[in-house]
Amino acid sequence: MRNFAYQRADSVDAAVAAHSGQSSSFVAGGTTLLDLVKLDVMQPERIVDVRSLPLYDVERLDDGRLKIGAMVTNTDLAHHPIVTENYRVLSEALLAGASTSLRNKATTGGNVMQRVRCPYFRDGVSACNKREPGSGCAAIGGLNRSVHAVLGTSDQCIASHPSDMCVAMAAIGATVLVSGPNGEREIDFLDFHLLPGDSPDKEHALEADELITHVVLDAPIEGNRSHYLKLRDRASYQFALASSGVVIATEGGTIRDARIALGGVGTKPWRAQRAERSLIGKSAEQASFQQAAELAFEDAKAYEHNAFKIPLGQQAIVRSLTTVTA
Amino acid sequence: MSDYKHGKIIGASRSRIDGPKKLRGDAPYAADHHLPNMAHAYGVFSTVASGRITGIDLSEARAMPGVIDIFHHDHFPSLYRTPSTFKQENKVDETRLPFEDAKVHYPGQFVALVVADTFANARDASYRVRVDYEEDEAIATLAQAMERGEPTPHADSGHTRGDPDSAWSDAPHRIESTYVTPMETHNPMEMHASTAYWDKGDLVLYEASQGVVFARNVMAKVFGIPPERVDVRSPFIGSGFGSKLWIWPHAVAAAAAAREVGRPVQLVVPREEMFTTTGHRPPTHQTLRLATDANGKLQALSHDGINTTSMVNTYVEKTGSCTKSLYACPNLRVSHATLPANHGTPTSMRAPGAAPGLFALESAMDEMAEAIDMDPLEFRRANYTETDESLDLPFSSIHLMEAFDRGAEKFGWSKRTPEPGSMRDSDEIIGWGMAACNWEALKMDCDARVSLRADGTAFASCATQDIGTGTYTIVAQAVSDITGLPLDRIEVELGDSSYPSGPVSGGSWATATTLPAIAQAARNAIDALKTYATGDGGAFSGSEADTLTFADGTLSDGNGKSVDYAEVLNQLKLANADGEAHTPAATNDEYSFRSFGAHFVEIRWDPGISNLRVSRVVSAIDVGQVINQTTAANQVEGAIAMGIGMALFENTEYDSRSGRPVNNNYAEYLVPVHADQPEEVDVILLDHPDYAFNEFGARGIGEIGITGLAAAVANAVHHATGKRIRELPITLDKLMVT
Ligand SMILES: Cc1cc2nc3c(=O)[nH]c(=O)nc-3n(C[C@H](O)[C@H](O)[C@H](O)COP(=O)(O)OP(=O)(O)OC[C@H]3O[C@@H](n4cnc5c(N)ncnc54)[C@H](O)[C@@H]3O)c2cc1C
Ligand code: SF4
């Protein structure tokens, strides 16, 4: 760990003002940031502590949407009555992530911003375009079984997005509220995380010194049932090999609305819109689920050790759809 | 001493007497010692797997705050290697000293050591040490090692009887299979750590160690000083699973740095480097051939194992160690060979040899049973023997048949339908598998001291360790058994090399080794008390010492006079009555001493989501007398958890291009978590004392529980899925139908 300047901000404006470019980092729960700083992978010269910001509320807006403060912890959000009632997929996704002690620390904003688990990114020495643009990607041709993607990869980076929470948010539909030197703006959740493309070091749509203040969830779909299914080697405390967050509304056995998002398999929280569309108007049965699952992975590209993620992701979709429509 | 009768305390269920200290935070571990003026050391570790250091640039690091000194191969005191012999109790697995020269033999090797005023400053500066390497092509995996080299055989650990090759070719039924196990890393919770200081030429080392006597002797050899000038302390360790048996380079580095900077130095090995520079279980490649006659009697068995070792030392994983004698078989061979790789030196990990070896043997037994259409349990029964055919000696005590019977009964084995995939429960396919377990029983030389003290308490000491297993408690039980004192009046101190010499906590031999010495020392203390009591001014002055009896803390003369022993001592103004004892190692000239058992495992496979879990385990274990039901059952339950890890998750992966390990952290190196524990774990301890082995009849229980478990899981997986997985771990992708 290198020495850094530390500053605690007590207002959003002060936090934005204290943050000055590339060499600064906000710290919330610290569960991503402190690890990476200790590993010398992130080397901020200035850390702006945002835990005193008044962003701890979860409130229902008049239009039915749910506004979640960036500092709300993963634990609090998972157990919030509005969430357990209306956004079951989100509660389940949060509780499937990390461990109790980590969730007690981790925040909504920090979770959206967590970094990839690719070991070549974290080791500080291997070629990695995300850590050191232009150095190459050691994961391609390396060990890429568990935390590498089959959707949205490029020949510059194949790391999967690690978050469970974000998969649920992608399924539900959400807006990220940010505050920066030029004021406040809104970013559609699906546009927030970026595909690696030619610049895997650019991970999200935040501009310099912008801070996430809230995530606003879309109003729950009328009559929906939702579910998050996470598949992994051990039963807990492991990032998803493949996961599926689904929100489904049916009417008399026919699917009226469908949202499917995937984790562990995509370079960003992955919304499978073609698969969703294939379900609308269909009856809720295995054949439709199977077809949707296949569509979701139509463009998948497997690497040396992760080809199994394609059938595994499809299984996650089929089983989660079966569960919510049972 | 076959007429020895143990009272109620031996075999009782008792909580660990060191528990309250641990709960209160009063149990200091190696890195909990914060000494005045102490400096902190942090390593710089090689990022290449093979090559040599061509330059070290310290300019940036030296300028960092708090830096005291930076050691490397051009700036480090000249030290000596330990001869590394088990007999002289100075064994290590990696004899090369840190900073000996510019060569790099494995990734994660110490290439420099920053000493600074605080841990954070030392680590901070360590990141600014620039090392240049000339890199050579590395051998990073077992597969690469096998492609590039011819294995070196180690005949001394092998065994042959009869003619296994022709017997195999001639037999009516035979199988041949190859099994592969990955590199595993011990991953104890507590990091390896050393806190060292020098006091007028004497070294004091707080070390996370499973063997303080060996550690002391090694440090004495390395620094060229008499062992009396070294004190190694390890009163508490956060387990080791074998990785803390011997001294590793970090301890030498810390002690040398402390001497050079003239201050106490503390060094904690970072988690990543606990995958490289403090040992691992090496990957193995094992080929088995089994053949039977028409009745299912084994006619031929060969087990040829290869493992990787490091470039600097040879470590042999004796995968055939149980195969030699577990079943009756007239034609048998086990052999071991090694291949060098650019890894740190391997070392013993819980049930070395037996854990990977029985995965192979007990999987092969299942395959053989299937080939001759026999129930796997019946097949094992058919090949049962009470003779160790490798030594031509009877087993001192064997209750394997009872383990089979009671385990099978409890598990419900008779309800198993043999057809793979034939047992179902809604979405899940159920698989039932079993395997035998086996481990050698060893007993070493041991010294111990017990004092009966004037305050009415007893004090026992021995330079063995409690590695979290309950040794403190069972030592107190042994003292209680002899003296009749309750446990709360018995104090035990272990883990200090200045105490009477005790065994390494490994090989499951600490119990069998330590308790007889403790018991004898307690008897000798009672004898000393009697001598005092019958001497001038004693409570029984004038009586003969051998007419006195001692029971429940009281001396009696048989004529109605009884005096509490504390009173005897106080009357004479004596602090204590001491007894010391030495008990010898066991020799196997009459018997072969081994422990036995059987695991029965249920797995559930949900093919719709490729989910595999172990749902039920019944283990029947035959380890002689159980000293403490609670701590003994704990050992087997823990070993079952670790066996599940071995079966399903554990695998230290190296990148074959860079030669570096990639999952060297607690998040990505998977060990089982609570949620992976089976709903039901039943441990049956058979509890038949083995008095031919030692006066307590105990054979030790730390390791046997992990042996065979991975095979039982693999056999259950085969029963559920029809797939025979011969390469661990059994991950879901190996079972998916794609
Ligand atoms: C061992 C381990 C296992 C884990 N397992 C899982 C898992 O299974 N599933 C899962 O989803 N996650 C998992 N995680 C990740 C965990 O969820 C994240 O670390 C956590 O959500 C990050 O939140 P935080 O508040 O601690 O973020 P911090 O560490 O404080 O910050 C993370 C990043 O976000 C930035 N940041 C923080 N707040 C803001 C803000 N308001 N605006 C802009 N930028 C901000 C920081 O500068 C930093 O770059 C695991 C983590 C660990 C260490
Ligand atoms: S996958 Fe991405 S994060 Fe991993 S090494 Fe390649 S560029 Fe770096």
Side-chain angles (χ1 to χ4, degrees):
Chain A
M1 174 166 335
R2 297 163 190 250
N3 289 340
F4 50 77
Y6 172 86
Q7 190 169 342
R8 185 176 274 256
D10 48 20
S11 72
V12 169
D13 288 347
V16 169
H19 196 277
S20 49
Q22 286 285 310
S23 60
S24 295
S25 286
F26 294 119
V27 67
T31 59
T32 288
L33 185 81
L34 295 186
D35 273 10
L36 292 174
V37 172
K38 284 190 271 187
L39 290 170
D40 210 29
V41 170
M42 288 174 78
Q43 303 168 352
E45 286 163 21
R46 168 179 298 273
I47 287 188
V48 181
D49 189 334
V50 291
R51 284 172 303 173
S52 303
L53 303 186
L55 302 171
Y56 283 92
D57 293 332
V58 178
E59 71 183 296
R60 206 197 302 259
L61 303 180
D62 293 344
D63 58 7
R65 296 188 302 154
L66 192 71
K67 187 175 179 188
I68 303 160
M71 295 305 128
V72 175
T73 68
N74 287 181
T75 299
D76 287 347
L77 188 58
H79 295 294
H80 196 282
I82 301 177
V83 174
T84 53
E85 180 120 334
N86 300 289
Y87 303 102
R88 200 184 175 82
V89 63
L90 177 58
S91 178
E92 289 177 354
L94 283 161
L95 295 176
S99 64
T100 310
S101 46
L102 282 160
R103 294 194 296 266
N104 289 346
K105 277 288 193 187
T107 63
T108 307
N111 194 318
V112 170
M113 293 289 289
Q114 67 172 292
R115 314 283 315 263
V116 298
R117 297 298 304 195
C118 173
Y120 303 102
F121 168 72
R122 292 170 64 90
D123 73 10
V125 280
S126 297
C128 172
N129 290 324
K130 203 180 262 304
R131 181 168 31 76
E132 213 181 310
S135 62
C137 171
I140 298 174
L143 291 165
N144 47 32
R145 171 183 182 270
S146 304
V147 290
H148 294 96
V150 292
L151 293 166
T153 58
S154 73
D155 58 6
Q156 303 292 311
C157 179
I158 62 170
S160 56
H161 194 273
S163 174
D164 293 299
M165 180 192 83
C166 292
V167 175
M169 288 178 171
I172 293 164
T175 308
V176 183
L177 306 190
V178 307
S179 202
N182 303 320
E184 295 174 4
R185 64 187 185 110
E186 300 187 355
I187 306 169
D188 188 296
F189 194 83
L190 297 183
D191 298 331
F192 187 86
H193 298 98
L194 307 179
L195 292 174
D198 288 333
S199 49
D201 56 311
K202 185 97 183 81
E203 295 174 335
H204 49 76
L206 285 187
E207 309 233 317
D209 305 327
E210 276 183 331
L211 173 81
I212 299 174
T213 57
H214 301 87
V215 175
V216 183
L217 300 183
D218 288 358
I221 296 168
E222 183 70 27
N224 84 82
R225 291 184 67 192
S226 71
H227 179 45
Y228 187 74
L229 176 64
K230 180 172 177 180
L231 304 180
R232 45 188 159 179
D233 296 301
R234 66 179 172 192
S236 172
Y237 200 43
Q238 186 189 356
F239 292 90
L241 293 171
S243 70
S244 156
V246 296
V247 183
I248 300 289
T250 53
E251 233 161 71
T254 303
I255 298 169
R256 166 166 56 82
D257 204 339
R259 306 283 174 80
I260 302 173
L262 302 169
V265 291
T267 51
K268 57 180 273 186
W270 199 262
R271 183 77 177 264
Q273 278 154 327
R274 209 176 315 156
E276 293 170 359
R277 282 196 296 273
S278 81
L279 288 171
I280 310 292
K282 294 264 180 58
S283 62
E285 60 186 23
Q286 290 296 306
S288 345
F289 301 160
Q290 191 58 46
Q291 192 201 8
E294 275 158 31
L295 280 172
F297 285 88
E298 215 175 22
D299 299 328
K301 175 172 165 41
Y303 292 82
E304 288 79 4
H305 306 287
N306 72 355
F308 75 99
K309 284 192 171 188
I310 298 172
L312 191 70
Q314 292 173 341
Q315 289 184 329
I317 293 175
V318 172
R319 180 63 63 86
S320 54
L321 289 172
T322 309
T323 305
V324 286
T325 55
Chain B
M1 218 184 281
S2 55
D3 59 350
Y4 186 75
K5 293 273 188 299
H6 290 287
K8 291 195 294 289
I9 189 73
I10 297 300
S13 219
R14 289 287 181 277
S15 297
R16 291 195 229 160
I17 60 173
D18 50 325
K21 268 192 193 160
K22 289 182 175 170
L23 275 180
R24 287 196 307 262
D26 287 346
Y29 292 75
D32 288 338
H33 297 276
H34 302 286
L35 306 172
N37 198 32
M38 185 173 85
H40 293 261
Y42 201 91
V44 178
F45 301 96
S46 173
T47 55
V48 305
S50 176
R52 56 185 298 110
I53 301 165
T54 52
I56 297 195
D57 178 358
L58 303 176
S59 49
E60 211 192 326
R62 273 222 184 90
M64 294 298 291
V67 171
I68 299 164
D69 207 344
I70 303 176
F71 298 100
H72 50 84
H73 66 279
D74 277 335
H75 173 51
F76 193 69
S78 143
L79 303 171
Y80 306 94
R81 288 188 178 192
T82 173
S84 188
T85 58
F86 192 88
K87 235 184 140 57
Q88 292 173 7
E89 306 196 309
N90 54 27
K91 178 189 156 65
V92 296
D93 275 330
E94 190 162 304
T95 50
R96 183 185 183 275
L97 298 172
F99 317 119
E100 255 188 9
D101 52 35
K103 291 199 190 96
V104 173
H105 303 280
Y106 59 89
Q109 179 184 313
F110 275 93
V111 292
L113 187 77
V114 177
V115 182
D117 56 349
T118 66
F119 174 80
N121 280 340
R123 181 168 59 184
D124 195 355
S126 79
Y127 290 149
R128 320 236 173 170
V129 174
R130 304 269 162 264
V131 185
D132 292 321
Y133 303 92
E134 188 184 285
E135 204 175 335
D136 296 332
E137 203 184 343
I139 299 174
T141 63
L142 174 65
Q144 284 179 329
M146 292 184 68
E147 271 162 31
R148 295 192 206 160
E150 268 305 306
T152 306
H154 299 283
D156 51 335
S157 66
H159 168 78
T160 306
R161 57 180 182 259
D163 184 351
D165 290 333
S166 11
W168 186 79
S169 307
D170 297 345
H173 307 286
R174 54 178 188 260
I175 61 146
E176 173 172 2
S177 286
T178 294
Y179 302 88
V180 176
T181 62
M183 180 189 290
E184 292 173 23
T185 304
H186 305 72
N187 269 312
M189 290 267 253
E190 182 205 18
M191 324 298 280
H192 281 259
S194 313
T195 304
Y197 68 92
W198 293 80
D199 180 10
K200 301 185 198 72
D202 291 0
L203 170 64
V204 177
L205 177 67
Y206 294 97
E207 177 71 16
S209 169
Q210 294 176 246
V212 290
V213 172
F214 277 66
R216 173 198 61 198
N217 296 345
V218 167
M219 296 311 267
K221 286 289 183 194
V222 166
F223 287 94
I225 56 177
E228 296 74 30
R229 309 210 66 167
V230 181
D231 188 4
V232 177
R233 298 175 192 163
S234 181
F236 299 100
I237 81 168
S239 199
F241 304 119
S243 70
K244 295 171 183 167
L245 285 169
W246 325 120
I247 284 290
W248 293 98
H250 68 269
V252 172
R259 198 175 64 178
E260 295 306 298
V261 302
R263 295 166 66 163
V265 166
Q266 183 168 94
L267 190 164
V268 178
V269 180
R271 178 64 63 185
E272 307 92 78
E273 262 44 76
M274 284 181 47
F275 285 77
T276 56
T277 187
T278 58
H280 58 268
R281 194 199 297 281
T284 71
H285 178 281
Q286 307 173 52
T287 302
L288 278 92
R289 288 168 147 201
L290 276 66
T292 68
D293 64 15
N295 304 318
K297 294 261 186 228
L298 280 170
Q299 294 306 306
L301 173 51
S302 60
H303 188 165
D304 299 304
I306 302 172
N307 67 272
T308 52
T309 185
S310 69
M311 294 290 173
V312 290
N313 285 99
T314 299
Y315 172 88
V316 182
E317 185 76 15
K318 294 176 188 130
T319 48
S321 56
C322 298
T323 308
K324 291 192 283 205
S325 59
L326 183 50
Y327 298 110
C329 184
N331 302 292
L332 181 144
R333 177 183 67 244
V334 308
S335 78
H336 305 116
T338 56
L339 281 162
N342 291 100
H343 299 152
T345 307
T347 195
S348 298
M349 178 164 161
R350 202 172 195 175
L358 279 188
F359 162 65
L361 175 66
E362 288 296 289
S363 294
M365 286 294 283
D366 219 61
E367 296 198 49
M368 189 73 240
E370 197 194 2
I372 55 172
D373 209 12
M374 202 164 166
D375 175 82
L377 176 57
E378 282 318 308
F379 178 51
R380 285 169 176 90
R381 282 199 179 105
N383 290 286
Y384 172 79
T385 175
E386 297 184 353
T387 303
D388 181 332
E389 293 180 357
S390 71
L391 299 172
D392 211 6
L393 290 174
F395 292 118
S396 56
S397 165
I398 173 168
H399 301 274
L400 180 59
M401 284 299 208
E402 187 187 335
F404 285 151
D405 294 345
R406 289 181 59 187
E409 167 72 29
K410 181 98 197 170
F411 186 80
W413 184 260
S414 61
K415 295 189 211 78
R416 180 179 185 266
T417 54
E419 193 56 35
S422 61
M423 296 171 74
R424 281 172 184 265
D425 179 9
S426 68
D427 284 338
E428 294 179 327
I429 307 176
I430 293 172
W432 283 5
M434 60 83 53
C437 31
N438 192 224
W439 184 247
E440 67 195 317
L442 291 159
K443 171 175 181 279
M444 304 293 165
D445 284 289
C446 187
D447 297 334
R449 184 182 303 127
V450 171
S451 302
L452 295 166
R453 298 192 291 205
D455 63 359
T457 64
F459 176 77
S461 60
C462 177
T464 187
Q465 307 64 221
D466 186 326
I467 57 173
T469 52
T471 310
Y472 279 115
T473 312
I474 60 166
V475 165
Q477 285 176 267
V479 174
S480 171
D481 184 49
I482 304 297
T483 62
L485 294 179
L487 291 189
D488 60 9
R489 280 167 63 190
I490 299 166
E491 191 187 344
V492 182
E493 284 193 9
L494 308 171
D496 189 325
S497 63
S498 66
Y499 289 142
S501 186
V504 155
S505 300
S508 299
W509 62 58
T511 300
T513 300
T514 310
L515 294 203
I518 291 284
Q520 192 50 46
R523 283 188 208 100
N524 293 347
I526 292 170
D527 286 348
L529 179 78
K530 289 178 181 171
T531 308
Y532 299 153
T534 52
D536 283 351
F540 296 91
S541 180
S543 301
E544 290 295 317
D546 57 12
T547 62
L548 300 185
T549 54
F550 184 89
D552 297 334
T554 304
L555 270 184
S556 309
D557 65 0
N559 300 322
K561 183 172 176 184
S562 292
V563 185
D564 183 87
Y565 82 85
E567 210 179 307
V568 174
L569 291 169
N570 285 316
Q571 202 175 324
L572 291 162
K573 298 202 182 310
L574 293 178
N576 53 40
D578 263 349
E580 292 194 8
H582 173 86
T583 44
T587 51
N588 50 0
D589 13 276
E590 277 180 75
Y591 295 108
S592 167
F593 302 109
R594 298 193 73 87
S595 287
F596 302 89
H599 295 297
F600 294 82
V601 167
E602 175 182 283
I603 64 100
R604 283 166 181 261
W605 167 244
D606 183 341
I609 50 169
S610 305
N611 185 42
L612 175 64
R613 66 197 173 90
V614 177
S615 48
R616 207 153 63 86
V617 178
V618 175
S619 301
I621 305 287
D622 168 28
V623 289
Q625 168 79 51
V626 168
I627 305 295
N628 183 326
Q629 292 286 338
T630 308
T631 56
N634 275 179
Q635 282 303 301
V636 180
E637 286 160 9
I640 290 169
M642 205 165 176
I644 291 173
M646 176 179 182
L648 305 184
F649 308 128
E650 294 191 47
N651 182 8
T652 309
E653 294 181 286
Y654 275 71
D655 187 301
S656 60
R657 304 158 305 173
S658 70
R660 286 191 292 267
V662 294
N663 60 340
N664 51 353
N665 61 69
Y666 243 7
E668 263 87 17
Y669 181 89
L670 301 185
V671 297
V673 294
H674 280 295
D676 295 303
Q677 298 317 306
E679 289 94 277
E680 239 182 282
V681 175
D682 261 305
V683 175
I684 304 167
L685 301 171
L686 300 188
D687 215 2
H688 297 299
D690 184 353
Y691 291 126
F693 189 44
N694 60 66
E695 64 163 285
F696 285 88
R699 286 197 301 261
I701 198 166
E703 285 156 292
I704 185 161
I706 192 175
T707 73
L709 203 276
V713 173
N715 296 341
V717 165
H718 177 260
H719 182 231
T721 64
K723 287 202 177 180
R724 177 66 63 183
I725 306 299
R726 300 187 183 88
E727 181 164 356
L728 293 181
I730 307 169
T731 48
L732 57 93
D733 38 320
K734 294 177 184 167
L735 297 175
M736 289 176 79
V737 192
T738 45

